Amino acid sequence: MAEIHIRNLVKKFQGNVTAVDSLSLSIADGEFVSFLGPSGCGKTTTLRMLAGLEEPTSGEILLDDHVLFSSSTGEYTPPEKRGMGLVFQSYALWPHMTVWENIRFGLIQQKVPKEEQQERIKAVIKLLQIEGLEKRYSFQISGGQQQRVALARMLALRPNTLLLDEPLSNLDAQLRIEMRSELKRLHERLRNTTIFVTHDQLEAMTLSTRIAVMRDGKLQQYGTPMEIYRKPANLFVAKFVGSPPVNIITEELAPQLFASAQKHLGRRAAHARKIAFRPESMVINPPTDADDRRWHMKGSVAAILPTGPEWILQIESESVLLFARMDTEPKFSTGDNCTISIESEAMLMFDEAEARLD
């Protein structure tokens, strides 16, 4: 079991700078949770506090029923007794050691018997598919292989919780995709409780069972990937998750467009100050018998951007540029006029404080 409970966690640095502000959330046993947000949002600081590398200013951290930190009681568990495995952005492999010796290093520190060391190392080498690299040094293997060795070294210690601090950020695009698949496979097989820090929303969406979106040290939303995407708690979450970005219209930027959307949505939109919708929810030139539950607007095609599997369109309507996504090749050209329709259920409304309205 490895349930983690974070309660009112605060971290302030010198100069009264608040890095993490009253963070509370629970992570169930076996979950893969991503801390997602821009640089400086407090996600890595939170991970370091969980690992015991950073002491919180106040609050509580519990692992199952064991207190790792409590400002009220003064309890504190040192890093080496927390049973957590940490992989940094830098793989930190010893350059003078072979792959085998790097994986064995932590086992020696833990005084694991030699026979068991052999068994564990062979098991993780097979698991991470790095057979044949045992006698090579870190400078003799690729970045993706180094990442696998760093994971193998951690997994050999059999931690109850895996803490991953942007471990894929140093890899090229192709290797990142491969390692995302690798991490997904490992989690499905091992079912360790895993916490993954990233600023990449695609990584968070594809890997996580739940995502904690953070901004300026505060938790913005905690939910499943599809909850985060389809029902963002506020406008920041809506804008941060999704590519192309969510479309936003306001009364200030497009008064006629905004009024039309408000009228279509009726009483639900009375308190809306911003209305948003995802690119894939836009249908270009719908059939003439499209039902009345859709909102319709006029526009013109400003740009067509083919990506291979899909086409990204930029649509101009009342001087506002909107993104649309199509999975079939467009039958029109740049500069053509068009009609757009959007299902009412796909339209998101936000109040003056930028919180989502139901």
Side-chain angles (χ1 to χ4, degrees), residues 33 40 46 59 140 151 173 181 242 249 260 262 265 289 304 321 324 327 358:
V33 170
T46 302
Q140 296 175 316
L151 284 168
S181 299
I249 56 174
S260 172
Q262 269 194 319
L265 291 168
D289 61 346
I304 300 175
L321 290 174
D327 56 10
D358 290 325

Side-chain angles (χ1 to χ4, degrees), residues 127-354:
L127 181 67
L128 273 299
Q129 300 175 3
I130 50 176
E131 297 101 327
L133 303 181
E134 294 90 339
K135 296 182 179 180
R136 296 190 192 180
Y137 294 90
S138 59
F139 59 86
Q140 296 175 316
I141 59 178
S142 69
Q145 290 168 336
Q146 289 180 33
Q147 175 66 83
R148 285 180 168 86
V149 173
L151 284 168
R153 180 179 57 187
M154 176 188 65
L155 292 173
L157 299 174
R158 297 181 179 173
N160 51 37
T161 304
L162 311 182
L163 305 178
L164 309 176
D165 187 11
E166 302 207 46
L168 311 183
S169 59
N170 290 336
L171 303 178
D172 62 37
Q174 183 61 37
L175 277 175
R176 287 179 78 134
I177 294 172
E178 291 177 8
M179 285 308 301
R180 279 204 297 267
S181 299
E182 192 77 17
L183 287 174
K184 189 87 169 181
R185 181 182 68 85
L186 283 172
H187 181 255
E188 289 174 353
R189 179 168 177 178
L190 300 175
R191 288 296 171 188
N192 296 75
T193 301
T194 303
I195 302 173
F196 183 84
V197 164
T198 182
H199 63 273
D200 187 320
Q201 50 102 4
L202 184 60
E203 286 181 357
M205 290 289 290
T206 53
L207 289 171
S208 311
T209 54
R210 283 197 287 179
I211 300 172
V213 184
M214 299 180 68
R215 181 191 189 190
D216 297 333
K218 295 183 179 180
L219 182 66
Q220 302 296 302
Q221 187 171 357
Y222 187 40
T224 67
M226 296 318 297
E227 285 171 349
I228 297 289
Y229 188 77
R230 292 174 178 165
K231 295 184 177 181
N234 55 46
L235 193 60
F236 170 79
V237 175
K239 290 193 294 185
F240 195 81
V241 176
S243 179
V246 69
N247 296 302
I248 302 167
I249 56 174
T250 66
E251 189 172 15
E252 293 77 16
L253 291 175
Q256 294 179 8
L257 209 59
F258 186 80
S260 172
Q262 269 194 319
K263 183 179 179 181
H264 174 78
L265 291 168
R267 295 175 61 184
R268 293 171 54 222
H271 300 289
R273 293 295 174 266
K274 295 179 180 178
I275 295 174
F277 41 90
R278 297 288 183 189
E280 64 272 15
S281 68
M282 298 172 66
V283 177
I284 313 297
N285 293 333
T288 54
D289 61 346
D291 68 60
D292 293 335
R293 290 175 298 177
R294 288 178 172 269
W295 173 52
H296 301 271
M297 62 176 170
K298 300 290 185 181
S300 62
V301 180
I304 300 175
L305 311 170
T307 67
E310 63 183 11
W311 285 259
I312 305 300
L313 279 69
Q314 201 170 40
I315 307 294
E316 184 173 1
S317 184
E318 200 183 334
S319 300
V320 176
L321 290 174
L322 308 169
F323 283 106
R325 176 187 279 139
M326 297 180 64
D327 56 10
T328 58
E329 187 171 355
K331 303 300 182 184
F332 38 79
S333 304
T334 301
D336 288 354
N337 293 326
C338 61
T339 300
I340 301 105
S341 74
I342 303 165
E343 287 188 8
S344 303
E345 293 77 12
M347 299 171 71
L348 304 168
M349 298 173 290
F350 300 91
D351 62 19
E352 196 162 342
E354 298 191 345

Side-chain angles (χ1 to χ4, degrees), residues 67 69-77:
V67 178
F69 174 84
S70 174
S71 57
S72 59
T73 64
E75 292 175 87
Y76 172 77
T77 302

